[in-house]
Amino acid sequence: MSTNDNSVNIKIDKRGYHHGDLRSALMQAGLELLKTRSADEVSLREIARMVGVSATAVYRHFPDKAALLGALCDEGGRELGRLQLDAMEKSGGGRTGFDAVGRAYVRFALDNPTLFRMMMTTRHAVDFLDMPAGRDSSALQLLRDNIASLAPAGASPEQRRVAALRAWSIVHGLAMLMLDNQVPAEDALIDAVIDSVSVGIAT
Amino acid sequence: MSTNDNSVNIKIDKRGYHHGDLRSALMQAGLELLKTRSADEVSLREIARMVGVSATAVYRHFPDKAALLGALCDEGGRELGRLQLDAMEKSGGGRTGFDAVGRAYVRFALDNPTLFRMMMTTRHAVDFLDMPAGRDSSALQLLRDNIASLAPAGASPEQRRVAALRAWSIVHGLAMLMLDNQVPAEDALIDAVIDSVSVGIAT
DNA sequence: CGGCAATGTTTACATCGATAACATGAGTAC
DNA sequence: GTACTCATGTTATCGATGTAAACATTGCCG
């Protein structure tokens, strides 16, 4: 925020034809609007208006609207990965850590409803079983690693895979149901459902 | 010009200026288009064009676009309920039946991607725990009944509630992940994850 | 200092959802 | 049968949107 204030001030001072860093300004404005409106209720023109730039200026930095939103998704993905990593480290590893990661997942979804939905809908098809391991999908990576360390010693790779997918399904399904108001978004409910997750895995 | 063509076609169909049953014709066309395109990629005008009627004729039967889509959601909800009931009856009750219901849920989602997404996103907020029991939410009702009959005898209402939500989260999450291409939509995978659901509940 | 490439702007267009005024025709009362 | 009426469909139009094309400005590199 302080950095932005600085940029803005500088821009006001210089007040130029050229915007200091339009690309990130657009992304920030877009992110802001996505907090309220849904993805297609946000227009490029509104984003541009917000930044104080002509509507078509956007096209100097993104080929089209989808590209802008895509960039936001990427950033969201990194943020989610960071939050999950944080959650796990802060709570030690093991089952507790696993639960924390799941909670972070749901929490992120609830805190960024539209962005999360877009991240999931828009994202390139990643084959769940053989993840590139170097991708920005650190969220999934974390999930997998956790499953591996929690599953019983005798579990086959296939069993681990199913357990991981099931765990992911639970947190993802819960997040979606709450996002869509099919279920009240109560913390207690999240905790209760999440707790049962790791129990199920270790079985 | 193309509108004239349409009138001609309609006349051949014995109906003149007035379409026989525009409302259901529109809904059918909409449903058809939703099989391919996503919700906001489908335009009222295209639906109208498909039926061979002017764009604004839609407004004689639906107050706006959302209303048309809402009607489709309602129909989809009834269909899903029917399929689930069918699945359970055909496979006997108990755990097997419960798995069948879950499978039907996921299958429906995969067969009607956009419609399912809309049904979940658009639907009125239903409080999961005290369902009206008479609503068209027979899908949820069925889920609840199954949970009740499968949960161990000593389970508290709260435990049953969590178990139900967890089961719902699993099938819903799995459906969503597959819809969004985050996970391959393979039957074997569905079966594997679903099987583990009832096991988890009965634990 | 001069010019090029990057960055913004203006103009324009097709499409969309929606409203308003008008047209048609099916059913009904006389 | 004639005339009225109202549900249903049409045409005209509006403002908003995503995007392309042509034009303007300016930072930077020789």
Side-chain angles (χ1 to χ4, degrees):
Chain A
M1 189 111 95
S2 54
T3 21
N4 289 332
D5 286 341
N6 285 337
S7 328
V8 168
N9 286 338
I10 289 173
K11 267 172 240 144
I12 289 175
D13 284 348
K14 301 256 180 183
R15 63 156 269 101
Y17 183 93
H18 283 75
H19 189 288
D21 186 4
L22 223 200
R23 181 185 166 93
S24 61
L26 289 172
M27 287 182 60
Q28 192 184 338
L31 214 57
E32 184 63 29
L33 290 181
L34 283 186
K35 282 183 186 166
T36 321
R37 298 170 190 56
S38 96
D40 47 61
E41 288 167 351
V42 154
S43 70
L44 280 190
R45 294 169 117 100
E46 184 174 8
I47 296 179
R49 230 175 283 138
M50 201 171 191
V51 177
V53 95
S54 84
T56 55
V58 180
Y59 291 87
R60 293 295 168 192
H61 300 271
F62 302 94
D64 56 11
K65 182 181 182 179
L68 207 190
L69 297 181
L72 293 182
C73 284
D74 288 347
E75 200 178 283
R78 283 188 291 273
E79 171 78 359
L80 174 56
R82 242 177 285 137
L83 288 175
Q84 285 184 315
L85 203 63
D86 245 43
M88 196 182 63
E89 285 174 351
K90 274 185 186 156
S91 61
R95 182 172 302 178
T96 313
F98 184 72
D99 285 0
V101 171
R103 251 190 300 271
Y105 187 92
V106 178
R107 210 79 76 181
F108 177 86
L110 295 180
D111 288 342
N112 311 276
T114 302
L115 182 60
F116 179 77
R117 217 188 292 266
M118 277 182 42
M119 283 169 52
M120 288 302 155
T121 305
T122 299
R123 222 43 167 284
H124 17 278
V126 173
D127 193 353
F128 178 66
L129 64 158
D130 49 17
M131 268 173 300
R135 293 289 289 147
D136 60 346
S137 55
S138 53
L140 301 189
Q141 196 64 43
L142 205 52
L143 180 67
R144 269 254 295 226
D145 294 350
N146 270 305
I147 299 292
S149 66
L150 285 179
S156 70
E158 180 61 20
Q159 283 174 320
R160 287 169 196 271
R161 230 178 117 236
V162 171
L165 177 53
R166 180 158 149 272
W168 190 15
S169 293
I170 292 181
V171 289
H172 188 69
L174 183 62
M176 280 304 193
L177 290 176
M178 287 184 165
L179 274 189
D180 289 338
N181 280 322
Q182 303 286 352
V183 144
E186 299 163 1
D187 282 355
L189 217 47
I190 300 176
D191 289 345
V193 174
I194 295 269
D195 276 351
S196 64
V197 171
S198 56
V199 171
I201 289 174
T203 304
Chain B
M1 325 183 213
S2 53
T3 19
N4 287 336
D5 287 342
N6 291 330
S7 324
V8 169
N9 287 338
I10 292 174
K11 274 175 189 170
I12 289 175
D13 213 338
K14 187 195 179 231
R15 307 289 182 181
Y17 186 92
H18 283 74
H19 189 287
D21 186 3
L22 222 199
R23 182 184 164 92
S24 60
L26 289 172
M27 286 182 60
Q28 193 182 340
L31 213 57
E32 184 62 30
L33 290 180
L34 282 187
K35 283 182 185 167
T36 322
R37 298 171 192 53
S38 100
D40 47 60
E41 289 168 350
V42 155
S43 70
L44 281 191
R45 296 168 116 98
E46 184 175 8
I47 296 179
R49 231 175 282 140
M50 202 170 189
V51 176
V53 95
S54 84
T56 56
V58 181
Y59 291 89
R60 293 295 168 192
H61 300 270
F62 302 94
D64 56 9
K65 182 182 184 180
L68 208 190
L69 298 181
L72 293 182
C73 284
D74 288 346
E75 201 179 282
R78 282 188 291 274
E79 170 78 0
L80 173 57
R82 242 176 285 136
L83 289 175
Q84 285 183 316
L85 203 63
D86 244 44
M88 196 183 60
E89 285 174 350
K90 273 185 186 158
S91 61
R95 181 173 303 178
T96 314
F98 183 72
D99 284 0
V101 171
R103 251 189 300 270
Y105 186 92
V106 178
R107 210 79 75 181
F108 177 86
L110 294 181
D111 288 343
N112 311 276
T114 303
L115 182 60
F116 179 79
R117 219 188 291 265
M118 276 182 44
M119 284 169 52
M120 288 303 155
T121 306
T122 299
R123 221 45 166 284
H124 16 278
V126 173
D127 194 353
F128 179 67
L129 63 158
D130 49 17
M131 269 174 299
R135 291 288 289 147
D136 61 346
S137 55
S138 53
L140 302 189
Q141 196 65 41
L142 204 54
L143 179 67
R144 270 254 294 225
D145 295 350
N146 271 305
I147 301 290
S149 66
L150 286 178
S156 71
E158 180 61 20
Q159 284 174 321
R160 288 169 195 271
R161 229 178 118 239
V162 171
L165 177 52
R166 180 158 150 274
W168 190 13
S169 293
I170 292 181
V171 288
H172 188 70
L174 184 61
M176 279 305 194
L177 290 176
M178 287 183 165
L179 275 188
D180 289 339
N181 279 322
Q182 304 286 353
V183 145
E186 299 163 0
D187 282 356
L189 216 49
I190 300 177
D191 290 345
V193 174
I194 296 269
D195 275 351
S196 64
V197 171
S198 55
V199 172
I201 289 173
T203 305

